[in-house]
Amino acid sequence: MSQLVTRPNGGPVAVVENGTLVSAIVVTRNRESHLRECLSGLMEQSIADRMEVILVDQGSDECEWAVAADLQRRYGNLITLKVPAASAVKAVNMALKMASGRYLTILDATDRMRRDAYEQLAAALETNPTAMLAYGDTCFTAIPHENFANHTSYGKVIWPDYTVQQLSQLSEVAPHPLWRRELHDSIGFIPEGYPNHGMREFLLKTVERFRIQHIEEFTGLKLIAASSQTVRSEPHAAAPVQEQFSSQPLQSFEQAAPAQTARPAPATLGPDEAYTDLKPILSGGDMDKVERALKEHLLRYPNHAVAHNDLAAVSYQLGNCEQALKHYREAVRLQPDEDVYLKNLADLLYVETDGTEEAISIYLKLHEKSPRDVETLLNLGIICEGVGQPAEAESFLQRVLEIEPWNQAARERLKALREAAATPAQASITSAAPVPACEDDELTAEELYEVSQQMVQSGDRSGAETKLHKLIEIYPDFAPAHNDLAVLAYEHGDTETARIHYEKAAQLRPGNGTFRKNLADFYFVEGYDVDGAINIYLEELEKEPKNIETLMGLGKICALLDRPAEAESFYGKVINLEPWNREARESLNSLKQAVNG
């Protein structure tokens, strides 16, 4: 894929004092007249000194590139990513992977934000550590080139506090959400090929597993087509208007187009470009029209996997499970390595057909490819529970909690699974037994561990340490508690206690890469067992040859041990896997400079 990334003055982005807080991804294609206003507005955000802005030019025919180049002379935190139109659907995820911010967001070049929008959204996440994503309410205008502080109102939407059920029924969701970058480690990146940058699908995957935070503030302004039927025209509205969702969703300016049916694609137009032209139809609420447009597109481009996947999703919404299954299978046939398509097929097989065994087989293959993929593990746990395999279900759910101790969905399912496994006789014995003197004795290991996590999040690290000691007194083989005690002991400077607990965690869970890497880091940094550290990393690399964290760890160790050729090899592998990986490139450049004197 050909692409071009430029940074201010040809050098690195300016480093802010406390690190980048927010990375804002601005998406544009033929919106030159709006771009300067959008970027300048972001540079005037109240936390602009802690922001990074990445402009994604999706093969524009206009001169957005020149506008960005001019602004880069003034702003040290503006990065530009230019891709050809054929690669447009992948560009947003490329930018997200490049981003260095603690929190991430996406907006269009025609969007305008309240001056303190990102400060408010970031504060909502900072004060609510259990929430993974925050969003505010939205104002709308049909007048181009206005800003949030001074615009002609065409209505406002107070978005609901989303549930999975709501999101599955809505075609439009709140724009401009802000989320923690680690969210991508759990649910992957933005689904490609969907309308509105796949934000609805991304939100749905988030809500299924995590808490999100709705702040009751109007944070953004969206430019819409003046003919939109969903928001009322209120040029002088003095109070927020609660809008109801209809079958015709809000139509943004980016989506507005006079054509209502798919137009014949020129012979030179690629499938991705032709698919982009269908966005005004695909973002509409008329599922029958969407279905017709997708079928017409596939008549011209029968091997376009993303269109097969989307037609399957639409077919399922229309109640045609047979057609949905057919197109999910076709998407998988065309792109057998695309995890999203495989998961969609497995979900449908399990939920709507008798294909449970095939669904399990697909998820086991996904698990083999990515042993730490939490979504796959959670789904395997749910399916195994559903087919009467509680031991296997417990194993998968426990693995989820080892990777993500905060995962509430896994914790609740595991608790319910264990409660259901108790026989009436056991329940009777339990109820007849004397109540333990300490209430901690009544809690499961997972419940005690959750209490300790809440203490850490609230700043009570001493209380958390006491709770963890109590946990291993009752449950001495609970590995996550040993790992966390090691971290806390190391913070106190008690390296011997840290070593004991790091080793215990790795011994109890030899298959947990996180515990083993923590032990390896300790061995290396403290000079306790350098060879042992390298061996652990090499063993983990053998399990997952494409694990970026492991490759980076080996690169750093080899560099510090003055083994530049090996370090260069590991960093090179990272760059081959993730060309956008800034840390790997900088490490490799530093290594080459040191070697060249």
Side-chain angles (χ1 to χ4, degrees):
M1 179 189 301
S2 60
Q3 62 193 57
L4 178 63
V5 179
T6 65
R7 306 182 186 278
N9 302 319
V13 178
V15 178
V16 293
E17 183 179 353
N18 297 314
T20 305
L21 184 65
V22 173
S23 291
I25 315 298
V26 179
V27 183
T28 184
R29 186 168 189 266
N30 297 334
R31 292 287 176 257
E32 178 189 353
S33 64
H34 298 269
L35 188 59
R36 187 177 295 274
E37 299 164 0
C38 177
L39 296 177
S40 297
L42 291 173
M43 299 305 173
E44 294 171 2
Q45 280 283 306
S46 57
I47 57 167
D49 60 337
R50 297 197 63 192
M51 282 182 62
E52 165 188 77
V53 179
I54 303 177
L55 174 66
V56 178
D57 184 341
Q58 296 183 312
S60 179
D61 299 321
E62 298 180 359
C63 296
E64 279 103 323
W65 202 245
V67 173
D70 179 54
L71 291 174
Q72 281 183 319
R73 297 188 183 97
R74 283 193 286 156
Y75 301 114
N77 56 344
L78 174 60
I79 305 168
T80 52
L81 170 64
K82 185 178 178 66
V83 299
S87 303
V89 295
K90 301 181 182 298
V92 170
N93 281 334
M94 291 167 60
L96 288 170
K97 292 171 183 176
M98 289 169 53
S100 61
R102 187 186 312 168
Y103 304 115
L104 310 176
T105 188
I106 299 172
L107 64 158
D108 290 314
T110 54
D111 295 343
R112 302 292 179 264
M113 305 301 295
R114 196 172 88 178
R115 189 176 182 277
D116 63 346
Y118 293 127
E119 180 181 2
Q120 293 284 338
L121 291 166
L125 293 174
E126 293 280 335
T127 57
N128 185 0
T130 63
M132 292 296 279
L133 178 147
Y135 63 99
D137 298 319
T138 309
C139 301
F140 293 87
T141 185
I143 310 299
H145 307 297
E146 295 188 327
N147 57 41
F148 183 91
N150 184 19
H151 68 271
T152 304
S153 176
Y154 268 66
K156 301 178 180 180
V157 169
I158 299 175
W159 302 100
D161 295 330
Y162 289 127
T163 64
V164 175
Q165 291 75 16
Q166 283 177 321
L167 281 172
S168 64
Q169 296 171 9
L170 299 176
S171 58
E172 288 293 327
V173 297
H176 322 127
L178 189 75
W179 61 90
R180 301 180 192 275
R181 67 176 300 112
E182 57 264 31
L183 180 58
H184 294 297
D185 296 333
S186 299
I187 66 172
F189 285 86
I190 306 293
E192 295 172 353
Y194 288 93
N196 300 325
H197 314 304
M199 198 46 62
R200 172 187 172 276
E201 290 69 28
F202 182 66
L203 273 173
L204 184 56
K205 291 175 70 176
T206 302
V207 174
E208 284 175 344
R209 290 173 50 196
F210 298 105
R211 294 186 180 94
I212 64 175
Q213 180 73 39
H214 174 211
I215 65 171
E216 296 179 357
E217 299 280 349
F218 288 93
T219 54
L221 176 67
K222 195 80 180 171
L223 183 62
I224 62 172
S227 60
S228 175
Q229 299 297 314
T230 305
V231 284
R232 295 194 293 270
S233 174
E234 293 187 325
H236 304 289
V241 178
Q242 176 82 47
E243 298 296 347
Q244 300 299 319
F245 297 97
S246 71
S247 60
Q248 295 180 334
L250 293 166
Q251 187 181 36
S252 71
F253 183 75
E254 295 281 350
Q255 299 163 342
Q260 294 301 312
T261 57
R263 59 180 180 272
T268 57
L269 205 60
D272 289 334
E273 293 171 290
Y275 202 67
T276 299
D277 287 346
L278 292 178
K279 280 187 176 182
I281 299 173
L282 302 183
S283 62
D286 189 337
M287 290 295 101
D288 291 324
K289 184 180 290 186
V290 172
E291 182 186 34
R292 287 195 299 273
L294 287 168
K295 286 182 175 179
E296 290 175 12
H297 176 82
L298 286 170
L299 286 174
R300 294 192 290 270
Y301 306 100
N303 294 325
H304 196 204
V306 69
H308 281 288
N309 179 76
D310 290 359
L311 179 54
V314 171
S315 300
Y316 185 70
Q317 290 185 49
L318 292 172
N320 191 342
C321 292
E322 184 177 348
Q323 181 170 282
L325 184 61
K326 170 188 171 184
H327 287 284
Y328 275 140
R329 288 195 185 280
E330 187 64 11
V332 169
R333 185 189 70 79
L334 292 166
Q335 289 190 11
D337 294 328
E338 177 53 61
D339 291 354
V340 172
Y341 303 160
L342 287 165
K343 289 175 182 177
N344 288 344
L345 174 59
D347 286 346
L348 187 65
L349 286 167
Y350 176 66
V351 174
E352 297 291 348
T353 76
D354 295 327
T356 301
E357 290 186 6
E358 186 180 357
I360 293 176
S361 174
I362 292 172
Y363 270 112
L364 287 173
K365 288 178 183 177
L366 289 166
H367 177 52
E368 186 177 352
K369 286 173 58 181
S370 303
R372 294 174 57 80
D373 185 284
V374 171
E375 183 180 358
T376 300
L377 288 164
L378 189 58
N379 285 337
L380 278 168
I382 292 170
I383 292 175
C384 288
E385 180 184 357
V387 298
Q389 299 178 1
E392 290 81 357
E394 183 172 344
S395 173
F396 288 123
L397 293 171
Q398 185 62 54
R399 178 65 174 140
V400 171
L401 291 176
E402 289 174 2
I403 298 169
E404 289 185 357
W406 59 85
N407 193 302
Q408 195 65 24
R411 191 173 301 281
E412 290 173 357
R413 282 191 170 273
L414 188 60
K415 181 181 178 182
L417 192 67
R418 288 171 175 171
E419 288 175 351
T423 65
Q426 289 173 321
S428 175
I429 293 170
T430 302
S431 62
V435 178
C438 176
E439 65 180 27
D440 282 347
D441 295 336
E442 301 175 356
L443 301 177
T444 66
E446 290 77 13
E447 289 169 337
L448 275 170
Y449 187 69
E450 184 176 2
V451 173
S452 74
Q453 294 295 294
Q454 292 170 353
M455 287 179 169
V456 170
Q457 291 169 359
S458 65
D460 184 8
R461 303 180 83 80
S462 176
E465 190 169 5
T466 301
K467 189 66 66 176
L468 288 167
H469 278 296
K470 182 65 177 178
L471 194 163
I472 62 171
E473 179 183 327
I474 303 170
Y475 304 101
D477 293 337
F478 192 72
H482 286 285
N483 180 76
D484 288 10
L485 280 170
V487 173
L488 292 169
Y490 194 75
E491 288 180 355
H492 300 327
D494 187 352
T495 55
E496 182 59 21
T497 299
R499 180 187 65 78
I500 292 170
H501 286 295
Y502 275 135
E503 289 178 340
K504 187 66 174 178
Q507 175 193 344
L508 290 169
R509 293 287 186 272
N512 187 300
T514 299
F515 297 164
R516 286 173 55 78
K517 288 172 190 173
N518 287 348
L519 177 61
D521 288 343
F522 175 84
Y523 279 169
F524 180 74
V525 172
E526 292 300 316
Y528 184 83
D529 185 358
V530 174
D531 290 336
I534 295 174
N535 286 336
I536 290 172
Y537 267 112
L538 289 174
E539 288 170 4
E540 290 303 306
L541 188 63
E542 187 176 351
K543 294 178 188 175
E544 296 184 69
K546 296 183 179 181
N547 187 293
I548 300 300
E549 183 183 353
T550 304
L551 289 166
M552 287 296 296
L554 281 166
K556 291 173 183 177
I557 289 175
C558 290
L560 290 170
L561 292 177
D562 196 23
R563 291 154 65 170
E566 294 172 67
E568 185 174 343
S569 171
F570 289 122
Y571 288 139
K573 289 178 181 177
V574 173
I575 292 169
N576 285 335
L577 292 169
E578 292 187 353
W580 56 83
N581 193 303
R582 182 183 304 164
E583 183 182 2
R585 288 193 177 279
E586 290 175 354
S587 298
L588 189 58
N589 289 337
S590 299
L591 194 65
K592 290 179 177 178
Q593 289 173 6
V595 171
N596 295 332

